[in-house]
Amino acid sequence: MFRPLGTQRFNPPTSEFSPGPAPFLEWIETSKLMVDVTYQREIGRRGAVNVNQIAENFDWSKFAPVIVAPVEGGHFAIVDGQHRTTAAMLRGQEKVPCQVVQADRAKQAAAYAAVNGNITKTTAQQLYHAKLAAKDPNALALAEICLAAEVEILRKNLIRSEVKKGQTYAVTALNRCLAKYGRDTLITALQCITQTADGNAGFVRSTIVEALCEVLHEAPRWREAGEELLRAMDKFKFADAWDQVAAGRDKIFPSTASKMMAEKIQRFLSRRLGAGSIKDAA
């Protein structure tokens, strides 16, 4: 039994309609397909499993057209379909069906982010870099904050010993803190980590950043102390404080860890800088 499509149950769109040039379908040689590393993720371990599964069960009836955009040199950048194209190549296929869209790099990255935004295999960091390439205003604002605070949002996972000063995965927490506390508080909080002691490699963590933002938000005098604040935080031992928070616990909720860290930072700064708020003075 079949039924026709209908729109009766849906509200008509109210946004401006500007879909851009109509795409067209074409079989394209895989040798002409490229990956723009500016916004595309690498095929990691889980992705490799996915590629192998597609290749093992390869069937054109399950193969959605690859979304591509023309780039220089007669090549095409893959917007969506890197995994299934790689699987087709493993099966010896020299051409794949493609939906060709007319889009510059920013639009390609925006399309990638839109297509992959609700897929769990795309991490928050990967999505951030895609949105940054697409010149998303929120991503650009966060990038400016990271530049000011000497922070780098990593694209892929590293073992903890390889994480360098300022490197972090905590893009979700950074965005949350930016929305809740604002640009200046977030920059100062990050600088309390990256511009003190030896740079505190590995400690630009969500719980620590959120704890610092909470403390500085509640104590504007400390937030505005500038170099005096950084000199004080130069003596704060993030590693020791974290060990104390985690001591004797197999598991700790992030909200609990952040609260405990905030209390340690608040007590430390009260001793070093005096009362930072009415609450501290009470």
Side-chain angles (χ1 to χ4, degrees), residues 18-176:
S18 181
F24 59 90
L25 295 175
E26 183 176 330
W27 285 79
I28 297 177
E29 293 89 346
T30 56
S31 60
K32 293 183 178 180
L33 302 181
M34 303 291 167
V35 173
D36 189 337
V37 297
T38 303
Y39 61 87
Q40 278 271 18
R41 63 191 183 279
E42 295 180 9
I43 297 179
R45 185 167 52 188
R46 284 183 293 179
V49 172
N50 186 32
V51 168
N52 288 329
Q53 288 177 342
I54 296 172
E56 286 294 334
N57 302 284
F58 195 87
D59 186 328
W60 284 121
S61 68
K62 303 173 184 176
F63 194 99
V66 180
I67 301 176
V68 302
V71 293
E72 61 274 4
H75 293 94
F76 298 83
I78 295 177
V79 176
D80 178 66
Q82 180 184 175
H83 292 75
R84 57 185 178 274
T85 300
T86 304
M89 293 171 68
L90 282 173
R91 279 296 189 181
Q93 301 300 316
E94 297 182 354
K95 291 184 178 182
V96 292
C98 296
Q99 175 178 311
V100 183
V101 298
Q102 301 298 321
D104 59 20
R105 174 176 282 176
K107 284 189 175 181
Q108 293 168 32
Y112 168 85
V115 169
N116 291 279
N118 294 319
I119 300 176
T120 56
K121 64 186 177 184
T122 301
T123 67
Q125 306 100 271
Q126 293 162 344
L127 198 56
Y128 160 77
H129 284 288
K131 289 182 176 181
L132 185 60
K135 303 188 186 308
D136 175 83
N138 291 332
L140 289 172
L142 186 56
E144 187 269 333
I145 287 169
C146 289
L147 180 63
E150 300 179 14
V151 168
E152 175 192 358
I153 296 173
L154 292 167
R155 293 175 180 268
K156 60 181 181 180
N157 292 336
L158 299 176
I159 61 175
R160 182 167 296 180
S161 62
E162 293 179 344
V163 177
K164 299 177 181 178
K165 168 189 170 182
Q167 293 182 328
T168 186
Y169 306 113
V171 62
T172 301
L174 297 184
N175 275 316
R176 191 161 54 237

Side-chain angles (χ1 to χ4, degrees), residues 170 173 176 204-212 242 253-259 261-262 265:
R176 191 161 54 237
V204 185
R205 303 178 187 176
S206 58
T207 51
I208 294 176
V209 174
E210 290 180 318
L212 281 162
W242 183 260
F253 291 108
S255 58
T256 302
S258 182
K259 181 179 179 181
M261 185 63 72
I265 295 169

Side-chain angles (χ1 to χ4, degrees), residues 163-197:
V163 177
K164 299 177 181 178
K165 168 189 170 182
Q167 293 182 328
T168 186
Y169 306 113
V171 62
T172 301
L174 297 184
N175 275 316
R176 191 161 54 237
C177 287
L178 175 58
K180 186 174 181 179
Y181 300 109
R183 172 187 179 277
D184 293 342
T185 295
L186 179 54
I187 288 176
T188 303
L190 292 171
Q191 289 174 335
C192 284
I193 304 171
T194 62
Q195 297 183 16
T196 62

